[in-house]
Amino acid sequence: MTSETLARPELGNVVVGVDGSPSARTAVLWAAAEADRRGRTLHLVHAADTDRRALFADAETIQAVRERGRDLLIETADTVQERFPDLAVTKELSRQEPVAGLRAAAGHRGTIVVGHRGLGGFSTLMLGSVGLGVAARAETPVIVVRGDGARPGSGSVTAAVHGASDVGWLLVAAAEADVREATLRLVSVWNVLTHIGSVATMLDDLDEIARQRVHEIKALADRVRDFYPGLDVSHHVETGTSTPGILVEATTHTDLLVMGREHRVLGAGPSLGRVAHVLVHHADCPVEIVPPAFATRVEET
């Protein structure tokens, strides 16, 4: 991916799932603030799944489901407008199941926001199946809102980077920092255990690998500055034996953690990578996951 195929990404409308759960309510208000920062529309989606329900439920039941969904959307929109009176808010009662409904609503440019725990009665599950499904399958960025929203802002956005190939989605992190007038902190974890048993087992070899990582992350920071000259960008390489653990710790000091999604297929469909899976379950701030092809697709549209 070269500089010629990249451009400053334009952050699109914000799509948020509404299901009546406390987690979703927190996500809606966070999404409203995000749309307000962007100067974009907030699109509320309640996926009633009536197409599937119609296979086993009678017409009266389906009508009741639709009415509850409409009432929930109206109530949620009213709450948002009280907090953000100038924000453009739209509502959609989707007939599809939640993952498909949110993906369809986002199109090719929107950002999907979900709460970290949905309805379903399993309070021990830190992220519901809808959140996991959207984060693993969406073709646009997905933000899983973690935390209670009451923590004071840090004025920083953190990007979890690995190497030169991250530059595409990293520009989305830069755009998020730019719209917040925040600093962007690039964090890369150098885990020495990943090299144990490989051809690079000598201490001198490991030191050279570490130096190369520092050089790569500095080069990434320089490329971001080329696209965002006024943005305050710092870069750090952290050493440790647990990449997820170090990144979870980093979320305690930032307003948003952004990372690229690995292209993985597990069983019948895509799956989040191990690091992303840990972060969306245990981070202390919202986590944004950007599909690998999103940056170039934004420029082409």
Side-chain angles (χ1 to χ4, degrees), residues 122-187:
F122 298 98
S123 60
T124 58
L125 294 180
M126 297 299 288
L127 182 66
S129 59
V130 172
L132 286 173
V134 173
R137 294 173 174 83
E139 298 177 349
T140 59
V142 174
I143 300 175
V144 178
V145 176
R146 294 198 52 80
D148 59 9
R151 190 179 71 179
S154 68
S156 71
V157 171
T158 298
V161 298
H162 182 74
S165 63
D166 291 335
V167 65
W169 68 259
L170 182 55
L171 293 182
V172 175
E176 292 282 16
D178 187 57
V179 78
R180 287 169 168 76
E181 298 183 351
T183 61
L184 176 64
R185 184 171 186 259
L186 277 57
V187 174

Side-chain angles (χ1 to χ4, degrees), residues 116-117 126-127 143-149 151 158 160 244-259 274-289:
H116 72 278
R117 181 181 295 162
M126 297 299 288
L127 182 66
I143 300 175
V144 178
V145 176
R146 294 198 52 80
D148 59 9
R151 190 179 71 179
T158 298
I246 290 173
L247 292 177
V248 167
E249 174 62 25
T251 65
T252 64
H253 311 295
T254 193
D255 298 328
L256 177 68
L257 184 133
V258 187
M259 65 184 305
R274 180 177 66 92
V275 175
H277 199 275
V278 171
L279 283 166
V280 298
H281 281 83
H282 300 290
D284 289 319
C285 74
V287 177
E288 180 168 7
I289 300 174

